[in-house]
Amino acid sequence: PQDPAAFGADSVLVKSSKHYLNIRYTLLPYLYTLFYKAHTQGDTVARPVLHEFYSDEATWSVDKQFLWGPGLLITPVLDPGVDTIRAYIPDAVWYDYDSGANIRLRKQWADMYLPADKMGLHLRGGYIFPFQQPATTTVASRKNPMGLIIALDDKSEAAGELFWDDGESTGTITSKTYISYEFKVSNNVLQMNVTNNNYADPNNLMFKEIKILGLLQEPESVTVLQANNVQNSLHNITYNPVDKVALIQGLQLELGKSYTVKWTPRASFNEKYDCYPGLNANKEKCEQLGCVWTEDTANPGVPYCHYNSSDNGYSVVDVKYTTAGVTANLTFDKSHRKASEKSTAPISTLRLEVKYHNDHMLQFKIYDYANKRYEVPVPLNLPETPENTVKNQLYDVTVQNKPFGLQVRRRSTGTVIWDSQLPTFAFSDMFIQISTRLASQYVYGFGETEHRAFRHEMNWSTWGMFARDQPPGYKLNSYGFQPFYMALEEDGNAHGVFLLNSNAMDVTFQPTPALTYRTTGGILDFYMVLGPTPELVVQEYTALIGRPVMPPYWALGFQLCRYGYENDTEIANLVEDMKAAGIPYDVQYADIDYMERQLDFTLNPRFAGLPALITKIREEGMRFILILDPAISGNETNYPAFTRGLEQDVFIKWPNTDDIIYAKVWPDLPNVEVNDTLDWETQVELYRAYVAFPDFFRNSTTEWWTREIAEVYSNPYNASNSLTFDGLWIDMNEPSNFVNGAVGGCRNQELNFPPYLPQLGSRSEGLSFKTLCMEGQQYLPDGSPVSHYNVHNLYGWSQTKPTLDALRNITKERGIVVTRSTYPSSGKWSGHWLGDNTAAWNQLDKSIIGMMEFSLFGISYTGADICGFFGDSEYELCVRWMELGAFYPYSRNHNGKGSKRQDPVAWNSTFEDISRKVLTVRYTLLPYLYTLMYEANAHGSTVVRPLLHEFVKEKTTWEIYEQFLWGPALLISPVLKQGAVEVDAYLPDARWYDYYTGEYIGVRRRFKNLLAPLEHINLHVRGGYILPQQSPANTTFYSRKNPLALIVALNDSQLAEGRLYWDDGVRIDAYEDGIYLLTSFTANRNILEIKTLHRGYSDPNNLKFIQIQIWGVTSRAQEVTVSQNGGPIQSPHVVSYDSQKQRLPCPQLCPWILSRRSIDPGMTSSYSAPSPHLKIMLEKSTTMRTLDFRPPSQCRI
């Protein structure tokens, strides 16, 4: 048998047969009308494509597609084992039948993905299709309500017909016993004109639904008229703004009567796009651009000057689709051009290239193919040839013709995630603009600016991006430049978009939802990754730009710094005080105080003892980091750094001259006495030296920079002045300038005040505000010249890799570089601190937001200045910040000159106790944190992780920014408000255990009020995960020698898993060279397995696991066994089981403690225990030794 039912009710055949037969029955009025026209006029019903598009020679050979009449294009799959076919799309507007969306293809061949349950059905724009609700027979369906599908063409017009009789009798046509209609739509009006009415249908049929495809604006109201009289109509209107589909339901239009249906487009302020985003907009300037000026005071933020049509002036020609992408040419209609300066005159011909790099990533690039323009010289990791497959590709791309636009749709859901067919598109020499509709209101990223929440404000918010020495502040562009965002779609799928452009830029969000980019140069070069999960978005993005750097183990320790140390004795005393207090602490810094007059590569006489101090603390297991700034003083008579820089031609100059551009930063003039009581501007004028900025793009600069750093580490003139640092902190590298542009001012007005100034802080001051003149001449490594105007935002980026290379070449260890200014891919070489924050409560949540954003940007080693940089911190604030900062990946307490001390030993013994306690927790968890850093470095995973990355199905998490995760498993819920002794924390849908007690808290998918006295930060471990630990010590040098432990937190199914990455902590490229140990842990009910996944490193400390806590075990174990190669071995361990925790909703779910037996972390082993037994099986022989271990105080034996 081959009838559909023979294949089973749940078969694809039955389901697809029902679907497409329902469509057939729905369209029977249209098909019946076609037969009427065939009978009366000889028209074809099943129609070859060439019949409608005869002038298009491509249709002459189309024989695997056909039309129903003029309007329905049918594309079946005719070959076995095929789900992608080559289909021709004739020259018309076409709408997908199922979704109603415009497919944006015309007059071209295209690959159409048609899995087993789908065929191609497309409605032609310009036609109206009568339909009827389907049923299982036509006898039943002919009694059902009718409707119209209106498919609008390019002019928003359509027409159609209907023939209707009793469906059975002969002679109805000759006797005119039928009803016929002509339908016509134009200017938002549908005319339903009866051309013959000599039949009374017994079913009192009515048109109850009208669907309009391609309606660009939402209809605000619908009016029904009969004979020019308004009719009462209880209809309702819905509108899909993405697919541009309006649905009018509840109509009562009687068959056989003529009607007029009018719809009025909604004048939605959400759809207004700013036509004059520049300074000093007014009605006259707006109308000169051909735009509309409407002062809307009721809706703050809505642009007064907005576009009056959807046209952007560009149309598309020569579109070519291939399996590897799309190409097209864009041409500008000169009649659309308004008066403009040369630098903002539209470029008349552009090239569009869309490349499908792989199944989850595509690139679309728009550039001037006739004239070479600046492109960002940052290398990306792209496949040499496309790696996409038509079958598995996550996206579909269509080029929209007139006006030009590009649409990207997620194939699995049909969600449009990029749609730029908007009036804003502009491409000129110094002003480029493009907008896109967004899939939802949930957008994250863009930087570096301080944001009030993790999710972006969509209510007409504009964010400028331009690297500047600007402390964090709302709507103020700060140190770095990160043009990347991640967006969630309404169903929880995620995607990311990166614009590879380095010119001054701003982005505007509006509640449409939509996003507008404006940049002052370069090209548009977008990269989109399709996830579909938030964590996969970051992994795919970092695969493109480069994985985060792997820090050395010691860099995960606590760190101290202060701008304003008087001398090396003050630092030495601090080190001793921290040791005496027993507070874990690995790294000490020196800020610019250690330099003579703030000159790089020099040593202040007040810090003559610093070289010996560094040697001493390094011998004691600590590390030291020095600061370096890029600005080099030119006012010295004997300063090798400047002299050699001149010889090697490393400094940025005025264009077409040999004259260095001089600025002023920190270096002081020689032989002056600085009066700190004078105002800042006066001090800069009187005391600051002229400085030059190295051009770090040059190969000669890299060589010069490396030599200067090397001579700090190993002083060739006086070995006793050698500063044997372990890391470098590069500051002021936006680059910062204490005068605007240059001493004496800039020389190129247009570059420093371009025709469009992005919405930056101090916007009216121009681009050179607090930085270098934009006309500065730089040279790329290949020798090609480039203006600072184009590469300003790459200055810190260009300094970072040479600094890391120098550090590693000198120290022969991995080291760490921390940079202030970043650009995408900076994370390959450095960490980043969030800048010169303020000692204020409102900075606590901002630090979490900043870290989560830099997680998106591929920079894992991040943190804020604990307790604040500017101003005096106060006791409670600093306590809470120490607790929060203990869980920054980059955990450093740092403050500024003139503020009181805020390090942990600057307060009182209680403060010391609290600091010691929370840092002990951090140091205990460092193996877990180090493993997360490995996962970031190897796979691009996030370390500081937003809750939405793990629980995206819970929409509550999409808004959370006052809590965060370490990886997938440790939930951190800090106190962020003054005076609070409890915190309202969200517990997502998982089993959560209190970190300190192992108790299952019994709450999920809701907020819970958690006690948080001053000395406590709430930490929770997620069931289903295993966290490696290590006994802490005052430095990681000693903690790395201590025994290891595991927390096994079982989930609802009594399962858990985890991993441990371990190497020597300092080796360069340990992972790349395979010199590491990778161990997996898997718990399945009463079995715990430890397996070595990679054994390339043997730790000299013979580390052992001496404690395993198992949380969530449902009953007491009577026996624990350790097995090797399938047989038990002796193990003098101690087992305790705590069933007395009355606070637990389920008191039987309590922690297991396995102790007194040590287990080699490098072994491959498995632990099993048929409940109530625990059995530990070792699959490889390993050295075992017995250690006494005192169980934690909360557990009873």
Side-chain angles (χ1 to χ4, degrees), residues 605-881:
R606 292 185 289 109
F607 287 79
L610 186 59
L613 175 61
I614 293 175
T615 299
K616 177 178 180 294
I617 68 172
R618 294 184 79 245
E619 289 171 350
E620 295 173 353
M622 288 184 63
R623 300 287 182 151
F624 206 91
I625 291 179
L626 291 178
I627 191 171
L628 289 174
D629 293 341
I632 302 299
S633 174
N635 286 112
E636 306 298 316
T637 55
N638 183 23
Y639 185 33
F642 182 71
T643 304
R644 293 191 288 235
L646 287 177
E647 293 169 354
Q648 294 181 256
D649 195 20
V650 307
F651 299 119
I652 298 174
K653 297 178 181 179
W654 296 103
N656 305 314
T657 74
D658 282 329
D659 299 332
I660 293 171
I661 298 180
Y662 284 107
K664 291 191 174 189
V665 194
W666 282 119
D668 283 339
L669 290 164
N671 306 313
V672 298
E673 187 72 29
V674 176
N675 182 355
D676 288 335
T677 65
L678 297 176
D679 65 85
W680 178 254
E681 287 76 15
T682 302
Q683 290 187 50
V684 170
E685 181 181 353
L686 295 179
Y687 307 133
R688 300 291 181 254
Y690 285 24
V691 296
F693 290 104
D695 179 0
F696 287 99
F697 283 115
R698 292 187 174 210
N699 296 322
S700 61
T701 306
T702 299
E703 298 166 5
W704 164 83
W705 184 246
T706 301
R707 176 178 177 177
E708 302 305 327
I709 294 173
E711 291 193 0
V712 173
Y713 189 86
S714 181
N715 192 306
Y717 313 107
N718 185 348
S720 65
N721 283 344
S722 299
L723 300 172
T724 52
F725 50 81
D726 300 280
L728 290 171
W729 167 27
I730 49 177
D731 194 9
M732 310 294 286
N733 56 351
E734 294 75 30
S736 175
N737 188 353
F738 293 169
V739 296
N740 293 343
V743 175
C746 299
R747 303 175 182 177
N748 187 313
Q749 178 74 8
E750 187 175 47
L751 289 181
N752 292 287
F753 291 86
Y756 177 71
L757 265 168
Q759 295 190 39
L760 310 173
S762 303
R763 189 181 189 189
S764 62
E765 299 289 336
L767 297 182
S768 60
F769 178 67
K770 296 176 69 172
T771 192
L772 192 62
C773 292
M774 295 296 109
E775 63 265 39
Q777 187 73 66
Q778 297 186 241
Y779 292 89
L780 299 179
D782 64 4
S784 57
V786 62
S787 69
H788 190 72
Y789 177 85
N790 286 321
V791 298
H792 167 82
N793 291 309
L794 299 176
Y795 192 85
W797 176 89
S798 68
Q799 184 193 17
T800 304
K801 185 179 186 296
T803 304
L804 180 65
D805 289 344
L807 174 68
R808 290 181 171 179
N809 288 335
I810 293 163
T811 65
K812 308 305 180 187
E813 289 189 348
R814 194 182 306 164
I816 191 70
V817 170
V818 181
T819 182
R820 190 164 79 171
S821 187
T822 64
Y823 185 84
S825 77
S826 289
K828 289 195 296 185
W829 309 303
S830 72
H832 171 69
W833 89 106
L834 299 175
D836 296 342
N837 59 5
T838 302
W841 284 94
N842 65 10
Q843 291 294 298
L844 294 178
D845 62 347
K846 303 295 193 308
S847 72
I848 299 173
I849 295 165
M851 289 192 300
M852 293 196 299
E853 288 178 340
F854 274 89
S855 287
L856 300 183
F857 302 152
I859 302 180
S860 298
Y861 188 68
T862 56
D865 284 349
I866 295 170
C867 297
F869 179 79
F870 287 119
D872 291 339
S873 198
E874 55 92 19
Y875 189 89
E876 182 191 0
L877 170 64
C878 200
V879 166
R880 291 302 192 187
W881 214 328

Side-chain angles (χ1 to χ4, degrees), residues 1125-1147:
N1125 298 327
I1129 62 173
Q1130 289 188 348
S1131 174
H1133 49 258
V1134 173
V1135 179
S1136 65
Y1137 179 67
D1138 189 339
S1139 61
Q1140 304 301 314
K1141 297 188 179 298
Q1142 300 301 316
R1143 290 172 294 172
L1144 288 175
C1146 302

Side-chain angles (χ1 to χ4, degrees), residues 401-463:
N401 180 23
K402 186 173 175 57
F404 160 69
L406 189 76
Q407 188 177 91
V408 182
R409 186 181 292 265
R410 185 181 295 279
R411 178 180 287 175
S412 62
T413 62
T415 300
V416 175
I417 56 180
W418 182 274
D419 184 4
S420 65
Q421 191 179 40
L422 292 165
T424 54
F425 180 66
F427 202 116
S428 63
D429 184 36
M430 298 182 74
F431 179 69
I432 303 173
Q433 178 176 257
I434 190 169
S435 300
T436 178
R437 295 180 183 274
L438 298 169
S440 80
Q441 301 271 347
Y442 295 92
V443 180
Y444 312 83
F446 287 123
E448 183 176 6
T449 49
E450 181 181 275
H451 297 132
R452 292 174 176 171
F454 185 41
R455 180 174 77 87
H456 268 287
E457 303 169 22
M458 303 299 290
N459 192 26
W460 309 100
S461 289
T462 298
W463 304 92

Side-chain angles (χ1 to χ4, degrees), residues 1 224 332 397 476 524 660 678 763 852 858 878 976 1009 1012 1082 1188:
V224 178
F332 186 78
V397 176
L476 299 178
L524 294 177
I660 293 171
L678 297 176
R763 189 181 189 189
M852 293 196 299
C878 200
L976 305 176
N1009 202 270
T1082 307
D1188 287 328

